[in-house]
């Protein structure tokens, strides 16, 4: 349980005998559930990500719906930093195939489709630092690149991201490569390597 969840749990404990608060909480839950039931279903898609550091590359599948979130039970591969295009293509296709589209009626929707809490982010960064063999965030993210990859309607959308600060990335306006799902591996690999260069140059 992260710090926010602990604060919410403490608040609920203090307010559990307050009838007015309980009525408001019940109303809020009903309204949220109603919005979820009435929301227009999203079009199905699959997503994967590539994180390239100076010391290693990580390819992983995403659990997706309103958000795109790393799937704790999904595909994850760690590769050498000098990995070639064909190898990246092979793992990217495997990650896209493993990606899960989690609808709101899925029993684990709330666990999977959410922003990770501070404790989870800290643990992930600690894992990355240890794998890279460096001590600081600056050393980890020097020359790093991040790619977001989406498969939808038989098209692959490849988007390089710009590093901002504090382990966060943002999109680059107007920069994307769209390929057919059956694109040949050579073209796909070249597009991935080009997107990595774009991500690095956008810092």
């Amino acid at each position: 349980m992260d710090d926010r969840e602990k604060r919410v749990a403490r608040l609920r404990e203090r307010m559990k005998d307050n009838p007015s608060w309980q009525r408001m909480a019940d109303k809020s839950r009903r309204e949220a559930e109603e919005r979820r039931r009435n929301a227009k279903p999203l079009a199905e898609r699959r997503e994967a990500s590539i994180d390239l550091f100076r010391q290693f590359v990580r390819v992983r599948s995403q659990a997706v719906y309103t958000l795109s979130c790393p799937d704790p039970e999904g595909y994850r591969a760690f590769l050498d930093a000098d990995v070639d295009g064909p190898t990246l293509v092979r793992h990217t296709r495997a990650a896209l195939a493993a990606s899960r589209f989690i609808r709101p009626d899925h029993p684990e929707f709330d666990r999977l489709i959410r922003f990770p809490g501070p404790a989870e982010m800290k643990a992930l960064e600690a894992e990355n630092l240890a794998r890279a063999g460096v001590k600081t965030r600056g050393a980890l993210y020097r020359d790093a690149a991040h790619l977001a990859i989406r498969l939808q309607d038989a098209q692959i959308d490849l988007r390089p991201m710009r590093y901002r600060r504090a382990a966060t990335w943002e999109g680059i306006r107007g920069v994307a490569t769209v390929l057919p799902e059956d694109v040949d591996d050579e073209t796909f690999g070249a597009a991935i390597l080009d997107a990595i260069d774009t991500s690095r140059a956008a810092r």
Side-chain angles (χ1 to χ4, degrees):
M1 182 179 293
D2 62 27
D3 291 341
R4 179 182 177 281
E5 290 170 332
K6 289 177 182 177
R7 289 196 300 271
V8 170
R10 287 196 296 268
L11 177 62
R12 286 176 175 164
E13 180 64 25
R14 289 200 304 270
M15 302 301 287
K16 68 179 181 179
D17 296 323
N18 183 317
S20 177
W21 186 89
Q22 286 295 332
R23 285 194 297 272
M24 288 190 297
D26 290 342
K27 180 182 178 183
S28 178
R29 281 193 292 269
R30 288 195 302 271
E31 290 174 347
E33 184 59 32
E34 187 69 18
R35 286 194 300 270
R36 182 179 292 182
R37 282 198 303 267
N38 294 332
K40 183 179 179 181
L42 297 181
E44 187 162 344
R45 69 191 192 278
R46 296 174 180 270
E47 296 191 18
S49 65
I50 299 175
D51 292 285
L52 188 142
F53 302 98
R54 297 175 74 186
Q55 301 84 2
F56 67 94
V57 176
R58 179 181 59 223
V59 183
R60 60 185 173 183
S61 62
Q62 305 288 98
V64 297
Y65 192 69
T66 48
L67 302 174
S68 177
C69 310
D71 188 345
E73 287 85 44
Y75 184 90
R76 191 166 70 152
F78 293 96
L79 312 171
D80 292 338
D82 60 353
V83 60
D84 58 22
T87 302
L88 279 172
V89 167
R90 185 169 69 253
H91 287 282
T92 298
R93 291 194 190 278
L96 287 171
S99 175
R100 294 192 290 168
F101 188 72
I102 307 294
R103 293 182 173 83
D105 58 358
H106 190 285
E108 294 194 290
F109 180 88
D110 291 330
R111 180 178 75 89
L112 296 170
I113 307 301
R114 63 180 181 83
F115 289 110
E120 293 168 289
M121 292 296 292
K122 186 175 181 180
L124 177 60
E125 188 167 78
E127 177 187 322
N128 290 337
L129 289 167
R131 185 175 294 277
V134 297
K135 300 293 185 182
T136 67
R137 182 181 288 161
L140 177 65
Y141 286 98
R142 188 177 301 123
D143 298 326
H146 177 78
L147 308 183
I149 304 133
R150 173 181 293 191
L151 172 59
Q152 188 173 28
D153 298 329
Q155 289 188 322
I156 297 171
D157 186 75
L158 181 61
R159 293 183 181 270
M161 309 292 279
R162 175 189 290 115
Y163 182 71
R164 293 185 63 194
R165 62 185 181 280
T168 60
W169 301 84
E170 65 180 3
I172 306 170
R173 186 182 297 275
V175 177
T177 299
V178 179
L179 303 167
E181 182 179 3
D182 60 357
V183 61
D184 64 89
D185 287 353
E186 183 177 356
T187 301
F188 194 10
I192 290 174
L193 294 175
D194 184 62
I196 287 170
D197 289 341
T198 299
S199 177
R200 281 175 159 165
R203 300 172 70 88

